[in-house]
């Protein structure tokens, strides 16, 4: 089973919560490091003060000083630095003085002597449960017995600093966890509130039914991020409303178109059965009924063709088609009818070829040509203009006749659409011819358009051309 993706609220809450947690942890780490560096610097300053005091004491010692006075001077040298411990030894390792209670022998042996005490040169070690920070220095002093090279090991206890940092870490953890929980809760509330317009739009959308497709969302009443969504949804509603309207009209039109031949069949049958008739009269009635059956059969066939086109089931069998030759064949076919109506037929232009299904293309051109002849007055001429533009073949079928108003020309290729009384069928066809033409041309990758002026009406086909 496919797992449902996490909701936007959860995604945003987790993402923002993670960012806030990282920021708080980073900030806490920076604060902790800052405090630790501050303590280290305090210890370094303390150690430097002790070393300076010892160096001053060493520099001011009189020659051949007695051991008792020497110890007294060293004991008083660092008065005020109660947390400091120090040890002075000769270059040979002989201890000259060590602060009471200190045990710096091991540290003095293992630590690497340095020239200056800085944050980078101090070291840390533990002794009997206590933690110290210190350094070992070498200095030269004249006048001391044994050697003028001395080693000074100095240290200060940092247990208090470590205890403070440990308690600060615990406090920081508690604060960070509480802040993260509060931030995540606040983020979830903010995201939930931020999604309120989406929930409101969803409620409005749920209210829309097939009989309420006129309802539209208000783009100016939603946040800027949702304007495109509201506009797109309104566009979808407009398309759906148009489809429903056309479907409703289509159903009404097809019911009307089928009712007429059915009524005719019913009426003629009732008349035939109303009294006895001879064989010839029954034959005439049956012929009349046959015309109605053929009319309904053609309508159903056209509707099935359009249904196939709607579902992309039209699969043209492509062959090379000479459009000039096809038009001349159609001229021969419609020639008698055009002559009867005193309408001329003319071809203008050069030879043009396309790849297409011959029967489909012939059907499309036949529909256009028959319409043009039907609405052309006696004495006028239907003109077919052939040509090419870029890689496209163009066919224009022009005929003088009643103008089609601009408000109707955009709907002329819709099924059962009738622009006005002058273009209504008079017992011929069901208003599906132009819709079929459009489906055929589009199935071949082309386009068809119509234009009507006071002088003439023009149908133009544009389709990819091929070499003749």
């Amino acid at each position: 089973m496919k797992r449902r993706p996490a909701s936007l609220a959860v995604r945003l809450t987790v993402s923002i919560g993670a960012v806030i947690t990282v920021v708080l942890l980073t900030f806490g780490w920076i604060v902790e490091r800052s405090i630790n560096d501050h303590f280290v610097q305090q210890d370094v300053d303390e150690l430097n003060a002790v070393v300076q005091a010892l160096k001053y004491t060493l520099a001011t010692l009189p020659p051949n000083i007695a051991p008792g006075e020497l110890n007294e001077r060293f004991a008083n040298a660092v008065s005020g630095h109660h947390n400091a411990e120090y040890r002075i030894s000769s270059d040979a390792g002989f201890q000259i003085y060590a602060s009471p209670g200190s045990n710096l022998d091991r540290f003095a042996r293992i630590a690497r002597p340095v020239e200056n005490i800085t944050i980078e040169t101090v070291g840390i070690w533990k002794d009997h449960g206590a933690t110290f920070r210190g350094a070992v220095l070498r200095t030269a002093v004249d006048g001391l017995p044994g050697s003028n090279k001395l080693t000074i090991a100095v240290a200060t206890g940092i247990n208090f600093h470590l205890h403070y940092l440990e308690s600060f870490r615990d406090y920081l953890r508690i604060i960070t966890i509480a802040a993260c929980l509060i931030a995540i809760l606040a983020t979830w509330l903010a995201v939930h509130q931020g999604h309120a317009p989406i929930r409101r739009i969803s409620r409005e959308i749920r209210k829309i039914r097939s009989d309420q497709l006129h309802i539209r969302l208000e783009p100016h009443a939603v946040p800027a991020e949702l304007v495109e969504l509201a506009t797109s949804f309104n566009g979808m509603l407009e398309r759906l409303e148009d489809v429903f309207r056309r479907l409703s009209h289509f159903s009404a039109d097809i019911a009307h178109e089928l009712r007429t031949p059915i009524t005719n069949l019913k009426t003629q049958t009732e008349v035939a059965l109303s009294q006895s008739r001879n064989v010839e009269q029954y034959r005439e009635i049956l012929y009349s009924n046959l015309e109605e059956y053929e009319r309904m059969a053609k309508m159903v066939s056209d509707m099935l063709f359009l249904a196939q086109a709607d579902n992309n089931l039209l699969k043209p069998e492509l062959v090379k088609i000479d459009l000039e030759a096809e038009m001349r064949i159609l001229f021969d076919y419609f020639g008698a009818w055009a002559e009867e109506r005193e309408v001329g037929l003319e071809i203008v232009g050069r030879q043009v070829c396309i790849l297409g299904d011959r029967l489909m293309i012939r059907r499309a051109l036949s529909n256009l040509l028959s319409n043009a002849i039907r609405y052309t007055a006696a004495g006028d001429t239907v003109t077919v203009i052939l040509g090419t533009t870029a890689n496209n073949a163009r066919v224009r079928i022009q005929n003088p006749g009643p103008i089609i108003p601009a408000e109707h020309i955009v709907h002329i290729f819709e099924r059962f659409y009738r622009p006005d009384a002058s273009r209504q069928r008079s017992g011929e066809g069901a208003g599906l011819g132009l819709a079929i033409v459009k489906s055929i041309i589009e199935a071949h990758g082309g386009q068809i358009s119509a234009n009507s002026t006071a002088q003439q009406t023009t149908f133009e086909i544009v389709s990819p051309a091929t070499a003749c």
Side-chain angles (χ1 to χ4, degrees):
M1 181 178 179
K2 188 175 182 179
R3 185 179 178 183
R4 172 181 289 185
S7 68
L8 293 178
V10 172
R11 292 183 182 183
L12 289 175
T13 301
V14 170
S15 300
I16 298 176
V19 171
I20 293 175
T21 301
V22 171
V23 170
L24 290 176
L25 291 175
T26 303
F27 178 75
W29 179 79
I30 292 173
V31 172
E32 182 183 346
R33 287 294 304 271
S34 177
I35 294 175
N36 183 68
D37 290 345
H38 173 71
F39 285 155
V40 174
Q41 187 61 53
Q42 280 187 334
D43 295 339
V44 169
D45 293 342
E46 173 83 3
L47 295 175
N48 278 321
V50 172
V51 170
Q52 292 300 322
L54 292 175
K55 284 184 176 181
Y56 177 77
T57 300
L58 290 170
T60 59
L61 288 176
N64 302 317
I65 186 172
E69 185 181 356
L70 180 66
N71 291 338
E72 182 180 357
R73 288 207 175 195
F74 282 132
N76 296 329
V78 292
S79 60
H81 299 280
H82 305 292
N83 199 35
E85 297 182 3
Y86 53 94
R87 178 181 182 276
I88 303 174
S89 60
S90 65
D91 196 30
F94 174 74
Q95 178 175 300
I96 298 174
Y97 179 82
S99 58
S102 64
N103 185 15
L104 301 178
D105 295 347
R106 181 171 176 273
F107 177 66
R109 289 195 303 271
I110 64 176
R112 183 173 59 86
V114 297
E115 295 182 359
N116 298 300
I117 299 177
T118 64
I119 292 178
E120 291 77 17
T121 59
V122 294
I124 295 178
W125 82 97
K126 291 184 178 182
D127 184 33
H128 296 91
T131 306
F132 298 89
R133 179 177 284 115
V136 176
L137 297 91
R138 285 185 179 277
T139 184
V141 178
D142 296 330
L144 287 177
S147 174
N148 63 346
K149 290 289 186 178
L150 300 180
T151 299
I152 301 176
V154 60
T156 182
I158 60 173
N159 280 347
F160 173 78
H161 295 170
L162 295 178
H163 291 159
Y164 177 84
L165 286 174
E166 187 63 29
S167 63
F168 176 78
R169 289 191 190 99
D170 295 338
Y171 179 74
L172 186 63
R173 291 189 188 100
I174 296 173
I175 293 297
T176 301
I177 293 174
C180 289
L181 293 176
I182 294 173
I184 291 173
L185 178 61
T187 300
W188 185 86
L189 292 174
V191 170
H192 182 76
Q193 184 63 27
H195 287 169
I198 298 179
R199 294 193 296 274
R200 179 171 57 82
I201 289 177
S202 298
R203 288 193 297 269
E204 294 179 6
I205 291 175
R206 283 196 294 268
K207 296 177 183 177
I208 298 175
R209 300 290 185 269
S210 59
D211 58 342
Q212 296 177 325
L213 294 177
H214 62 280
I215 296 177
R216 296 291 183 271
L217 301 179
E218 298 293 339
H220 63 274
V222 300
E225 294 81 0
L226 300 179
V227 170
E228 185 175 355
L229 173 64
T231 303
S232 300
F233 183 77
N234 287 340
M236 182 189 69
L237 283 181
E238 290 178 2
R239 293 190 294 272
L240 285 176
E241 185 179 17
D242 179 64
V243 170
F244 268 81
R245 183 175 59 253
R246 291 170 56 187
L247 181 61
S248 177
H249 292 169
F250 177 80
S251 300
D253 287 336
I254 194 171
H256 174 75
E257 294 294 337
L258 289 174
R259 184 180 62 180
T260 300
I262 291 175
T263 301
N264 292 341
L265 288 170
K266 180 176 178 294
T267 301
Q268 293 181 77
T269 303
E270 289 175 347
V271 170
L273 296 176
S274 63
Q275 59 182 0
S276 299
R277 301 177 184 277
N278 57 38
V279 175
E280 188 63 30
Q281 290 174 328
Y282 281 122
R283 183 180 286 109
E284 290 179 2
I285 293 173
L286 290 176
Y287 274 123
S288 178
N289 290 349
L290 180 60
E291 291 178 359
E292 298 297 339
Y293 286 130
E294 290 177 347
R295 178 178 166 189
M296 287 192 296
K298 185 178 185 306
M299 186 187 308
V300 172
S301 176
D302 290 345
M303 290 170 57
L304 289 175
F305 183 90
L306 291 173
Q308 288 180 321
D310 291 341
N311 292 280
N312 297 319
L313 297 178
L314 294 182
K315 303 298 181 183
E317 297 181 3
L318 301 182
V319 297
K320 184 182 294 186
I321 301 174
D322 186 339
L323 294 180
E324 182 182 10
E326 288 298 320
M327 291 306 305
R328 294 199 179 278
I329 292 173
L330 292 177
F331 276 14
D332 292 339
Y333 180 78
F334 289 107
W337 182 39
E339 184 177 350
E340 179 184 347
R341 297 179 59 90
E342 299 181 3
V343 173
L345 300 176
E346 180 183 10
I347 294 181
V348 177
R350 50 182 295 185
Q351 185 184 35
V352 177
C353 295
I354 63 171
L355 289 177
D357 188 295
R358 190 178 303 277
L359 293 180
M360 288 188 186
I361 294 297
R362 184 173 295 178
R363 183 176 185 179
L365 296 176
S366 174
N367 286 350
L368 293 177
L369 187 58
S370 63
N371 277 350
I373 295 173
R374 181 178 297 114
Y375 297 112
T376 300
D380 290 328
T381 300
V382 174
T383 304
V384 177
I385 303 175
L386 303 175
T388 57
T389 302
N391 296 323
N392 293 323
R394 291 181 178 269
V395 180
R396 295 180 183 176
I397 300 178
Q398 300 176 341
N399 70 283
I403 185 174
I404 304 175
E407 62 270 21
H408 297 302
I409 200 75
V410 295
H411 302 289
I412 199 169
F413 294 103
E414 296 178 6
R415 300 165 194 184
F416 297 114
Y417 188 81
R418 298 182 180 86
D420 51 31
S422 64
R423 285 267 173 175
Q424 287 188 17
R425 61 176 180 81
S426 55
E428 299 178 4
L432 298 175
L434 291 180
I436 290 175
V437 171
K438 184 173 184 292
S439 298
I440 291 174
I441 298 304
E442 290 181 348
H444 285 78
Q447 294 178 340
I448 184 170
S449 59
N451 178 50
S452 185
T453 64
Q455 290 75 32
Q456 63 185 8
T457 297
T458 302
F459 287 87
E460 183 178 28
I461 297 173
V462 179
S463 184
T466 187
C468 292

